[in-house]
Amino acid sequence: QVQLVESGGGSVQAGGSLRLSCAATGYPYSSYCMGWFRRGPGKGREGVAIIDRDGGSTYADSVKGRFTISRDNTKDTLYLQLDSLRAEDTAIYYCAAVNTGTGYCYAPLSSVPEYDFWGQGTQVTVS
């Protein structure tokens, strides 16, 4: 059973920073493409960033240059560094995973349904 547990959310003023973590258990982590998604107030779930086993990453235009996704395959942990936060970044942030077998990401960032496993989410509020 794959389990993803996020942590690190909170409240911060505009311009501030947060670091989210996602601990994964129950599967060969390096076989999975990993990603961060978010759902803002009154909005659908959208892709923020995805990363493959070698660190190759893709970002949404809205966060490019401000957020950094990374993963530690030795700790089975995914991270998202959020800098220069804006009010519009307020959302529940979700960690997600899809088993591609190779650990590379084949689906585009927008393909939310491609991801099989989801964490419970962590709230980020920017005021």
Side-chain angles (χ1 to χ4, degrees):
Q1 183 73 21
V2 174
Q3 289 191 325
L4 302 172
V5 179
E6 302 100 334
S7 60
S11 297
V12 64
Q13 291 188 336
S17 298
L18 286 172
R19 189 191 195 206
L20 307 183
S21 298
C22 172
T25 58
Y27 63 98
Y29 186 71
S30 60
S31 297
Y32 282 69
C33 168
M34 302 294 297
W36 287 98
F37 297 78
R38 68 185 181 186
R39 186 194 302 273
K43 299 180 181 178
R45 196 170 294 193
E46 64 174 357
V48 175
I50 56 175
I51 187 168
D52 66 31
R53 61 178 294 169
D54 294 333
S57 57
T58 302
Y59 293 89
D61 288 343
S62 59
V63 307
K64 216 173 278 186
R66 300 188 299 119
F67 292 6
T68 304
I69 190 171
S70 62
R71 63 191 285 174
D72 186 336
N73 292 337
T74 65
K75 296 181 179 179
D76 292 355
T77 303
L78 179 72
Y79 302 98
L80 185 68
Q81 178 68 38
L82 297 77
D83 296 317
S84 302
L85 281 160
R86 305 168 180 167
E88 54 264 39
D89 295 318
T90 294
I92 300 173
Y93 284 72
Y94 299 90
C95 167
V98 56
N99 184 0
T100 63
T102 63
Y104 295 103
C105 303
Y106 300 108
L109 180 59
S110 58
S111 295
V112 175
E114 292 287 329
Y115 289 78
D116 303 313
F117 304 102
W118 293 83
Q120 81 287 353
T122 185
Q123 177 71 47
V124 171
T125 302
V126 185
S127 60

